[in-house]
Amino acid sequence: MWKWIWPRVGATPISQGLDSEMFDRADYPYSDTFVREAIQNSLDARHDLTLPVTISFTFHQKDLGEQRVFLAEAIDLRNQAGLAVPEEWARGEVSWIAIEDFNARGLDGDLGSRISNFWNYWLNFGQSNKDGAGRGGRGIGRVTFLIASRVHSVVGFTRRVQDGRTVACGMTVLRAMQTPKGFRSTHAYLAAEEDDEASIYRLHDSTEFHDSLVSAFGLTGYRDASAQSGLALIIPYPHQELTREGILASSIEHFAPAIISGTLVVRTNDTVLDASTIDEIAEGVVSEFRVEAIQKDVARYLELIREALRAEPIAISISDVNSGLQGLRNEQWAIVLQNAVREGKAVCLEIGFPLQKGAKTHDVSLKAIVRKTPENSRPIDRFYREGMSLPDVRAKTPGELDVILLVEELELATYLNCCEGKAHLDLLESKEIRTKLEDRGYRQPFKVKRLVKGLQAELRNFLTPDITEPDENVFDTFFAIADPDPGKKSGKVKKPDKPPEPPPPPPPPRIPPFALETVGDGFRFKANPAYTEWPVNVSITMAYADGSRSPAWSEFDFRSSDLTTVASNCEYQYIKNKLRAVNCGPNSVIEVSGFDIKRELDARIKVWKNAQDD
């Protein structure tokens, strides 16, 4: 039986639990985050950039044999901690998933240093040595492997490019508790002994241990010394929700650009998912996709990504990040693009804009593919950074256009990585993220993030042609048509003594002085050319909608200092959440941006003519 260590704890603080709610949600269950984390780690560790990373998920189930000596003490420690043990263990049965990656660097780092990559992985949750240029960097995503195991355990085996060494370790989550031999920690480790001086463990490193581990868990890629470098993870007693079909579907849904471009190959037992097989496999696992638009038309989804990768894009330059695309909407070339989209053609764009870091301004860009959504279909709305999706970056109202955004440019990808949440699902704003960006030298840290996050909605607005003539038949199906021959009715109808007085004509419609429209993460209001009674004054009261008629505002929602305001031909000032503009004329325009696009903004306008307070 190979030894596991359940360390004693002195006066050092402990942290109980796995924060599983971050990685196991109703919309993104651990079966998705498990795949996302495994593939993300492998792509970040890619060794030879001319070859794809291959990651293999192999499912095993058999009678307990060689595996017992590696798992028995971990199971005993779970019993001591009062934690559940699968019934299969008592029946002498075992199941596991072996994850192996190839053309990857392996788990590198100084084996004698507590803060190296290697020991950060096993011991230091929330700490990472990644520089932000990859897809991770929070140092907590590895808990998805522990969550995937019903015994909250994982065993790792790595062959490293760094020094050619083969190294193995393992951990299991227990419970911090008092025992007769002292207060015990939250984790136990597959290791030979503690190294108190270095605050690490001395590992089982004999040839016998390594060969036995490879044999027991079927690590086919590491059977001889000439095998490729990489990392293998063993997940004992995986949850039943983890299936080969689900892994293939998650790989396609979250990493399709990496697969189609030849950067990534995924294997599940005897199935190979790559650029040549993705279409056939996608059709076979269509019921496993979580995004309805992809499930209903996966061929359209894959073709959009192919088009984005192969098409020669049309370059668009945004000089003012705050204004975005809207100032370009009426350009002749923009109208040509709008007409192309209306005709059902795919439009591929490369959108460039400035990113300020320190004293330097970087010209960065991303690619977008836009095409009209087929009739009676749901629009496809996806965002990918370096081949991995951020599924919560999407438009609130996607309308009738498919939009896929691809970020591959390193400087922009690094910046966006700093803006992502802990599960890498969305682009967020928080004090922690702001501090991280400012520490890295980014000026106006959230300005580019807001542009990128609002682009899916802004592109749809930008590429939708103006409608100049209303459809006179649009309401035909909503109203009954009077019967031209109602027939005779019983009874006598009394004739009126005199014809009724005609109703008075309705008053002429009131012409509003301003038109209000939504743009990106804010709004714009501008003078109405049909209005003539200038000048006027206006107040705009802003708050996030809360379901009431008069939503409340808090300074924690937003302050005027957080907003970007561009105004012309008027004078304005802020009083809390109210913007007051005076002496507005026929050329006045005010644009306000910087609001949280995940919340609905309630903006109410009041106009007055004289100098009285509104």
Side-chain angles (χ1 to χ4, degrees):
M1 184 184 299
W2 292 102
K3 182 178 181 182
W4 287 71
I5 298 172
W6 192 5
R8 288 186 292 273
V9 177
T12 303
I14 57 125
S15 178
Q16 184 75 52
L18 288 173
D19 291 328
S20 60
E21 65 275 6
M22 277 189 294
F23 301 99
D24 185 15
R25 299 165 24 180
D27 47 353
Y28 302 111
Y30 61 78
S31 55
D32 263 13
T33 53
F34 169 78
V35 173
R36 285 170 56 83
E37 181 66 20
I39 294 179
Q40 170 192 297
N41 286 346
S42 297
L43 286 173
D44 284 348
R46 187 181 178 191
H47 175 45
D48 185 345
L49 299 183
T50 66
L51 298 172
V53 169
T54 298
I55 182 167
S56 171
F57 299 85
T58 309
F59 290 74
H60 300 266
Q61 187 168 0
K62 60 191 339 183
D63 292 337
L64 263 170
E66 301 171 273
Q67 306 80 23
R68 185 183 293 274
V69 295
F70 294 97
L71 300 177
E73 192 166 0
I75 297 295
D76 288 345
L77 293 177
R78 285 186 65 82
N79 282 322
Q80 292 178 44
L83 299 172
V85 173
E87 295 179 359
E88 299 99 300
W89 177 264
R91 297 198 303 262
E93 300 169 359
V94 64
S95 59
W96 72 93
I97 300 175
I99 311 170
E100 301 173 79
D101 65 18
F102 305 99
N103 188 33
R105 295 189 300 270
L107 192 52
D108 57 13
D110 185 350
L111 297 177
S113 170
R114 171 63 187 252
I115 58 173
S116 70
N117 283 346
F118 186 88
W119 288 114
N120 269 346
Y121 186 89
W122 294 108
L123 294 174
N124 301 332
F125 290 92
Q127 181 168 318
S128 172
N129 288 331
K130 289 185 179 180
D131 61 3
R135 296 158 189 80
R138 296 283 190 156
I140 58 175
R142 75 201 79 144
V143 303
T144 58
F145 303 126
L146 295 166
I147 296 169
S149 166
R150 284 181 286 146
V151 290
H152 289 169
S153 303
V154 61
V155 176
F157 183 88
T158 184
R159 181 167 286 131
R160 297 145 43 109
V161 168
Q162 173 188 8
D163 51 18
R165 291 188 61 177
T166 300
V167 186
C169 190
M171 66 176 154
T172 186
V173 181
L174 299 174
R175 177 181 293 154
M177 59 183 291
Q178 187 69 47
T179 72
K181 294 185 178 180
F183 190 78
R184 298 287 180 170
S185 179
T186 53
H187 293 69
Y189 292 89
L190 177 58
E193 60 182 334
E194 295 182 67
D195 184 341
D196 291 333
E197 185 175 345
S199 299
I200 56 174
Y201 299 97
R202 301 191 188 281
L203 301 171
H204 298 294
D205 60 358
S206 67
T207 301
E208 176 193 3
F209 177 84
H210 291 164
D211 290 348
S212 298
L213 183 66
V214 167
S215 174
F217 293 103
L219 304 181
T220 56
Y222 298 92
R223 289 193 181 280
D224 58 69
S226 64
Q228 298 182 47
S229 61
L231 172 65
L233 296 175
I234 299 152
I235 314 294
Y237 296 104
H239 287 279
Q240 294 180 348
E241 289 88 343
L242 290 171
T243 65
R244 281 173 285 183
E245 294 78 9
I247 285 173
L248 291 169
S250 292
S251 301
I252 294 170
E253 197 166 302
H254 295 286
F255 293 94
I259 297 169
I260 292 173
S261 67
T263 302
L264 172 67
V265 175
V266 180
R267 295 177 180 168
T268 59
N269 286 51
D270 296 329
T271 301
V272 178
L273 171 61
D274 60 17
S276 65
T277 63
I278 188 170
D279 296 88
E280 180 182 356
I281 292 174
E283 292 293 345
V285 298
V286 70
S287 62
E288 300 290 331
F289 291 121
R290 301 191 186 280
V291 176
E292 184 180 348
I294 297 176
Q295 186 183 76
K296 297 295 185 184
D297 196 349
V298 68
R300 177 170 116 246
Y301 160 68
L302 296 177
E303 180 55 30
L304 277 169
I305 292 176
R306 285 195 179 94
E307 186 73 21
L309 293 172
R310 72 190 174 209
E312 187 67 30
I314 299 167
I316 296 179
S317 179
I318 297 175
S319 57
D320 184 353
V321 175
N322 291 322
S323 298
L325 293 167
Q326 294 311 307
L328 307 173
R329 177 178 170 77
N330 294 321
E331 298 285 342
Q332 186 58 43
W333 57 265
I335 295 172
V336 171
L337 293 180
Q338 293 163 14
N339 291 332
V341 170
R342 180 166 54 189
E343 293 167 5
K345 298 176 182 177
V347 171
C348 186
L349 307 172
E350 183 170 9
I351 303 170
F353 43 87
L355 173 64
Q356 294 179 315
K357 185 177 181 182
K360 186 174 181 181
T361 298
H362 299 268
D363 292 323
V364 298
S365 65
L366 54 78
K367 288 183 76 173
I369 189 76
V370 184
R371 190 164 60 192
K372 188 176 181 181
T373 304
E375 191 173 353
N376 299 322
S377 297
R378 294 184 68 85
I380 291 172
D381 197 29
R382 303 292 285 175
F383 179 94
Y384 291 90
R385 183 177 68 82
E386 295 185 291
M388 183 181 79
S389 77
L390 274 64
D392 279 346
V393 181
R394 57 180 185 264
K396 186 181 296 183
T397 53
E400 298 178 349
L401 296 181
D402 295 336
V403 176
I404 291 180
L405 300 183
L406 301 176
V407 174
E408 295 296 337
E409 200 274 335
L410 181 60
E411 190 65 45
L412 179 58
T414 302
Y415 165 82
L416 293 176
N417 185 25
C418 296
C419 299
E420 292 169 21
K422 293 180 178 180
H424 298 281
L425 301 171
D426 201 356
L427 299 173
L428 306 176
E429 295 185 23
S430 68
K431 289 182 179 179
E432 177 190 358
I433 291 175
R434 177 184 287 274
T435 299
K436 183 191 295 186
L437 291 171
E438 290 175 344
D439 287 346
R440 291 172 180 264
Y442 292 107
R443 298 166 56 191
Q444 297 181 300
F446 293 135
K447 193 160 89 168
V448 168
K449 172 260 171 188
R450 291 168 181 167
L451 169 71
V452 171
K453 186 162 182 177
L455 262 181
Q456 284 141 308
E458 192 168 3
L459 275 169
R460 287 180 167 92
N461 184 41
F462 178 71
L463 291 173
T464 299
D466 290 325
I467 299 174
T468 56
E469 294 184 6
D471 182 358
E472 62 182 9
N473 301 315
V474 69
F475 291 116
D476 283 356
T477 58
F478 291 87
F479 299 102
I481 300 174
D483 187 346
D485 185 16
K488 297 181 179 180
K489 296 182 181 180
S490 59
K492 295 181 179 180
V493 178
K494 183 179 180 181
K495 293 183 179 181
D497 295 334
K498 61 181 180 177
E501 292 288 340
R510 183 179 177 185
I511 299 175
F514 294 100
L516 181 68
E517 57 186 32
T518 301
V519 291
D521 58 349
F523 61 86
R524 178 194 300 125
F525 74 89
K526 55 186 178 181
N528 184 350
Y531 188 81
T532 58
E533 301 179 29
W534 304 103
V536 298
N537 308 318
V538 62
S539 291
I540 304 179
T541 303
M542 300 160 289
Y544 290 125
D546 58 11
S548 66
R549 293 186 176 182
S550 300
W553 169 80
S554 164
E555 64 178 5
F556 299 106
D557 290 337
F558 59 82
R559 300 183 180 93
S560 59
S561 58
D562 300 329
L563 305 175
T564 301
T565 306
V566 179
S568 61
N569 294 293
C570 65
E571 304 166 16
Y572 75 91
Q573 65 173 333
Y574 281 98
I575 302 175
K576 295 184 177 180
N577 66 323
K578 181 180 292 186
L579 185 154
R580 301 178 74 243
V582 297
N583 297 323
C584 299
N587 297 314
S588 294
V589 178
I590 294 184
E591 184 173 315
V592 183
S593 60
F595 296 98
D596 184 351
I597 66 173
K598 296 187 72 175
R599 302 177 69 181
E600 182 180 355
L601 182 66
D602 185 305
R604 305 190 179 198
I605 300 178
K606 182 178 180 181
V607 177
W608 78 100
K609 292 284 295 180
N610 53 37
Q612 294 178 1
D613 183 47
D614 64 317

